[in-house]
Amino acid sequence: MIPYASAAEAEAALGRAMSWWEAAWFRYSASTPDYCLYCHNVVLLMVVYTLAPLPLALLELCCCTKLTSPYKLQPRVRLSAAEFLRCYRQTARVLLLTVGALQLVSYPAVRAVGIRTGLPLPSVGEAAAQLVVYFLVEDYLNYWLHRLLHTGWCYDAIHRVHHEYAAPIGYAAPHAHWAEVLLLGLPAFAGPALVPCHITTFCLWFVLRHIEAVDTHSGFAFPFNPTALIPFYGGAEYHDYHHYVGRHSQSNFASVFTFCDYIYGTDKGYRYHKANLAEAANKQMKEMAPLYDDNDDDTAALNSWKKQD
């Protein structure tokens, strides 16, 4: 709760006029207890989980297969609406019972590490720098926990639930055993614990992390995806291979970036797979090339075939 009785008092304490965002935050949070502000995370989590994967689900369910197949990483796998709904219901229940319950009891830890709710709000640069740190910290810690989950007992007892979807979908991003949901929550909280932030940045961090997880589990590789501009970002194709191999996968453990897999050599299977695909494609193109003449129509047909491949 902001300890100022009026906007004028808040501006006097700041020594300047509040920005538009700060004034809006003041009006919203001035009479709201900090505990309630923190619990907004539960609502945001469920809203993002419900809405972020929805366009992808509708694309797969409602659009013509010929339109989506070129972008679908495992085009032979098509789930029904009932299967999408089952995934959503099961995962939403686990999220509410685990993350929701954890949020209700973890407020003292949030206060202890220094997450603040008052004014001033962080600048765009400050929030961006903190978010970069959070992504890097979470990615590194998640990498090692993910490798642990692929050991014998951990996989059989816990992680196999997440790998139920060998061809992942957006709604399956947080689909996991309740113990895994809690375990992987630790890396997500580690960044804010190391570099404390404002509660608005804290909430934004969890929203962005969940959207990123939906993207990597989308099952689609769109050429216009803006995440392709992020350095070392793995993306959907990178993580889809991990699900495709399944239980015995020893590749692509990182959740966001690719450098941990590269440094520790756990991307070799994926790189070998990609090299084999490229070699097979080149061989097939060489075999097909003599079938075409050099006229414009045949050249256009060959180029079209290459793009489809």
Side-chain angles (χ1 to χ4, degrees):
M1 184 181 297
I2 294 179
Y4 307 119
S6 65
E9 185 178 340
E11 290 181 336
L14 290 173
R16 58 173 175 79
M18 290 188 290
S19 66
W20 185 91
W21 291 107
E22 288 173 328
W25 179 251
F26 177 83
R27 290 192 298 269
Y28 181 75
S29 63
S31 59
T32 304
D34 288 351
Y35 178 74
C36 293
L37 293 174
Y38 173 61
C39 289
H40 281 39
N41 260 335
V42 180
V43 178
L44 286 173
L45 172 66
M46 296 310 302
V47 170
V48 172
Y49 174 63
T50 301
L51 298 181
L54 186 58
L56 296 168
L58 294 176
L59 183 66
E60 184 163 344
L61 291 171
C62 303
C63 291
C64 177
T65 302
K66 291 183 179 180
L67 294 176
T68 59
S69 289
Y71 308 111
K72 189 162 170 54
L73 293 166
Q74 298 187 48
R76 295 182 179 179
V77 180
R78 292 281 171 175
L79 301 183
S80 66
E83 290 171 316
F84 272 93
L85 182 60
R86 179 179 68 86
C87 177
Y88 174 80
R89 292 175 60 184
Q90 290 179 347
T91 307
R93 182 172 64 249
V94 172
L95 289 177
L96 284 173
L97 294 177
T98 55
V99 178
L102 182 63
Q103 292 278 339
L104 297 178
V105 301
S106 60
Y107 176 66
V110 171
R111 286 291 300 272
V113 301
I115 304 297
R116 61 188 181 87
T117 61
L119 296 174
L121 290 182
S123 66
V124 173
E126 178 186 349
Q130 290 170 336
L131 290 170
V132 169
V133 171
Y134 299 166
F135 270 109
L136 292 173
V137 170
E138 193 274 345
D139 185 72
Y140 186 79
L141 296 178
N142 185 287
Y143 170 84
W144 289 106
L145 287 177
H146 195 180
R147 289 189 66 171
L148 174 65
L149 288 170
H150 269 266
T151 58
W153 181 88
C154 288
Y155 187 93
D156 291 335
I158 300 174
H159 195 50
R160 65 175 178 80
V161 176
H162 182 64
H163 275 271
E164 177 184 344
Y165 293 90
I169 57 175
Y171 280 115
H175 177 76
H177 191 282
W178 63 267
E180 179 173 346
V181 173
L182 293 178
L183 181 65
L184 296 184
L186 297 177
F189 183 70
L194 292 172
V195 183
C197 61
H198 194 272
I199 191 68
T200 54
T201 307
F202 187 75
C203 291
L204 180 60
W205 153 237
F206 283 98
V207 167
L208 292 177
R209 179 63 183 89
H210 189 77
I211 291 175
E212 182 277 329
V214 169
D215 177 64
T216 56
H217 289 83
S218 67
F220 288 93
F222 296 112
F224 48 82
N225 192 328
T227 57
L229 302 175
I230 301 175
F232 305 107
Y233 182 69
E237 183 181 3
Y238 188 81
H239 193 66
D240 194 273
Y241 175 78
H242 176 81
H243 275 260
Y244 177 75
V245 177
R247 174 188 178 87
H248 300 291
S249 177
Q250 295 301 315
S251 287
N252 301 11
F253 291 110
S255 60
V256 182
F257 303 107
T258 60
F259 53 81
C260 278
D261 284 306
Y262 178 79
I263 292 171
Y264 300 111
T266 49
D267 63 346
K268 293 179 180 178
Y270 174 70
R271 288 190 281 124
Y272 180 76
H273 171 72
K274 294 283 288 182
N276 282 344
L277 289 179
E279 182 180 353
N282 289 332
K283 182 179 180 181
Q284 189 175 14
M285 283 190 286
K286 289 179 181 179
E287 292 174 350
M288 293 290 292
L291 300 178
Y292 296 91
D293 295 326
D294 291 332
N295 60 64
D296 292 339
D297 291 339
D298 288 341
T299 301
L302 178 59
N303 290 336
S304 176
W305 176 82
K306 288 179 180 179
K307 290 180 180 179
Q308 291 176 3
D309 184 69

